[in-house]
């Protein structure tokens, strides 16, 4: 991604949020509903926003039309930006995804549909929920590309390819990143009733993106074990300190319920009762 490109994230966008510039404290504080979160704790796990990051969106498949809308704005403004809009293997079966495919191709929008296929939905395997699991082919008239999402270098090359494709004026493209979900879908899903523990352990041992990338660095002598260990130690200290501070930070008060609803808005906001307007507060700084 370049500085002109933006991201429309699906439900679990914590890693993407950090990638787009939010600190570890900003992510962990938002997860725990604290004032130091990127949305001052009002968005939580599902709704994280930042410069060039349009969520965190909780509605299954909603990122399809959202991404098309943002891409339309980019084309209208002629700013050269590419939009990455994310959705999962379960969302791939949503009608609004295919409606967005049609509109984005009609208008030849600068848009990359990224299907994060982690093999499992809530309580079931993708093969039980999808008649076809070749998600990169689902665009039909929108071309697609399959990529091993567990391989850092493959993902980087695929990302460069789709950016070049869109920038060259060829219109939208689908990028399927095949990955793997180690844990359950949520607290209500232990993640072991529809697959074996041995399967999860095998993927961790053979295909984990972090350990396999580390092995490549060592194999081709691009880094020493000591250098990698120093990075791991530094990162752990940053995350541990951020987690500790996030737990200690307070929540915002009810007076901020009407804060930062709009970017620029000076009129009163309608209250719960007629004739009782609320002033729109501006707390967050514009990025």
């Amino acid at each position: 991604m370049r500085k002109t490109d933006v991201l429309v994230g699906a439900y679990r966008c914590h890693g993407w949020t950090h990638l787009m510039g939010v600190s570890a404290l900003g992510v962990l504080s938002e997860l725990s509903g604290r004032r130091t979160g990127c949305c001052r704790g009002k968005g939580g796990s599902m709704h994280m926003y930042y410069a060039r990051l349009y969520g965190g969106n909780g509605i299954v498949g909603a990122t399809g039309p959202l991404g098309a809308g943002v891409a339309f704005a980019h084309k209208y403004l002629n700013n050269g930006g590419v939009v990455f809009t994310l959705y999962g293997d379960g969302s791939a079966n949503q009608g609004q995804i295919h409606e967005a495919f049609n509109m984005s191709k009609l208008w030849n929008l600068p848009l990359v549909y990224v299907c994060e296929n982690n093999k499992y939905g809530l309580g079931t395997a993708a093969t039980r929920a999808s008649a076809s699991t070749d998600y990169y082919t689902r665009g039909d008239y929108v071309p697609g590309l399959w990529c091993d999402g567990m391989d850092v270098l493959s993902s980087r090359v695929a990302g460069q390819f789709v950016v070049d494709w869109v920038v060259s004026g060829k219109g939208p493209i689908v990028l399927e990143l095949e990955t793997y979900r180690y844990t359950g879908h949520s607290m209500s899903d232990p993640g072991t009733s529809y697959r074996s523990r041995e399967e999860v352990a095998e993927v961790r041992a053979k295909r984990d993106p972090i350990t396999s990338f580390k092995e490549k660095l060592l194999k081709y002598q691009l880094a020493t074990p000591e250098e990698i260990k120093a990075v791991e130690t530094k990162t752990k200290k940053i995350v541990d300190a951020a987690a500790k501070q996030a737990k200690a930070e307070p929540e915002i008060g009810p007076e901020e319920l009407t804060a930062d609803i709009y970017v620029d808005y000076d009129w009163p906001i309608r209250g719960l009762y007629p004739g009782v307007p609320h002033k729109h507060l501006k707390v967050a700084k514009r990025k």
Side-chain angles (χ1 to χ4, degrees):
M1 295 182 68
R2 306 158 305 157
K3 297 296 183 183
T4 54
D5 303 331
V6 303
L7 188 90
V8 179
Y11 186 170
R12 291 170 180 81
C13 61
H14 316 140
W16 285 107
T17 302
H18 186 52
L19 178 71
M20 298 301 287
V22 177
S23 67
L25 176 63
V27 174
L28 294 175
S29 294
E30 195 62 37
L31 278 169
S32 51
R34 310 294 175 159
R35 68 177 182 183
T36 44
C38 57
C39 297
R40 294 186 64 77
K42 296 204 296 183
S45 173
M46 199 180 298
H47 304 290
M48 295 186 181
Y49 298 87
Y50 196 62
R52 298 169 46 231
L53 173 65
Y54 293 82
N57 296 279
I59 303 300
V60 177
T63 51
L66 279 171
V70 177
F72 183 87
H74 276 247
K75 183 171 184 176
Y76 183 82
L77 296 171
N78 195 29
N79 59 18
V82 173
V83 178
F84 288 78
T85 188
L86 314 178
Y87 61 98
D89 46 278
S91 300
N93 301 318
Q94 280 278 339
Q96 56 188 329
I97 290 287
H98 299 274
E99 291 181 61
F101 283 165
N102 181 60
M103 297 173 74
S104 63
K105 185 59 180 176
L106 274 174
W107 294 329
N108 231 33
L109 300 179
L111 179 59
V112 179
Y113 293 98
V114 183
C115 180
E116 298 176 300
N117 175 17
N118 65 17
K119 314 291 283 182
Y120 294 98
L122 174 56
T124 191
T127 52
R128 296 185 63 213
S130 299
S132 170
T133 56
D134 292 330
Y135 298 106
Y136 68 99
T137 68
R138 294 286 197 90
D140 187 13
Y141 39 79
V142 176
L145 181 72
W146 181 92
C147 174
D148 182 358
M150 299 289 273
D151 188 302
V152 174
L153 298 180
S154 295
S155 299
R156 184 185 188 279
V157 172
Q160 185 64 63
F161 179 90
V162 295
V163 167
D164 291 344
W165 174 279
V166 173
V167 170
S168 67
K170 296 178 180 177
I173 189 170
V174 176
L175 173 61
E176 177 186 347
L177 294 175
E178 184 175 302
T179 179
Y180 191 84
R181 197 190 72 208
Y182 289 147
T183 60
H185 178 273
S186 61
M187 292 178 66
S188 60
D189 175 19
T192 54
S193 60
Y194 45 84
R195 60 181 178 178
S196 66
R197 297 180 187 275
E198 289 75 21
E199 176 186 308
V200 179
E202 183 178 9
V203 174
R204 278 187 182 276
K206 296 181 178 179
R207 296 187 59 214
D208 184 83
I210 296 176
T211 56
S212 61
F213 184 57
K214 182 165 63 174
E215 289 168 1
K216 287 186 176 71
L217 293 175
L218 294 173
K219 178 181 179 180
Y220 295 103
Q221 298 181 351
L222 297 172
T224 65
E226 291 76 20
E227 288 173 328
I228 292 176
K229 183 64 176 177
V231 171
E232 292 174 338
T233 301
K234 179 182 178 181
T235 303
K236 189 174 187 301
K237 287 181 178 179
I238 292 173
V239 174
D240 287 346
K244 183 178 180 180
Q245 183 178 344
K247 292 178 181 178
E249 290 288 342
E251 299 177 355
I252 61 171
E255 70 278 359
E256 284 197 37
L257 287 175
T258 59
D260 304 317
I261 294 175
Y262 300 97
V263 175
D264 292 310
Y265 190 82
D266 294 320
W267 302 339
I269 297 173
R270 187 180 66 186
L272 296 175
Y273 305 100
V276 186
H278 296 295
K279 183 179 180 181
H280 176 234
L281 304 177
K282 295 180 182 179
V283 178
K285 297 180 181 178
R286 287 191 65 180
K287 298 292 190 297

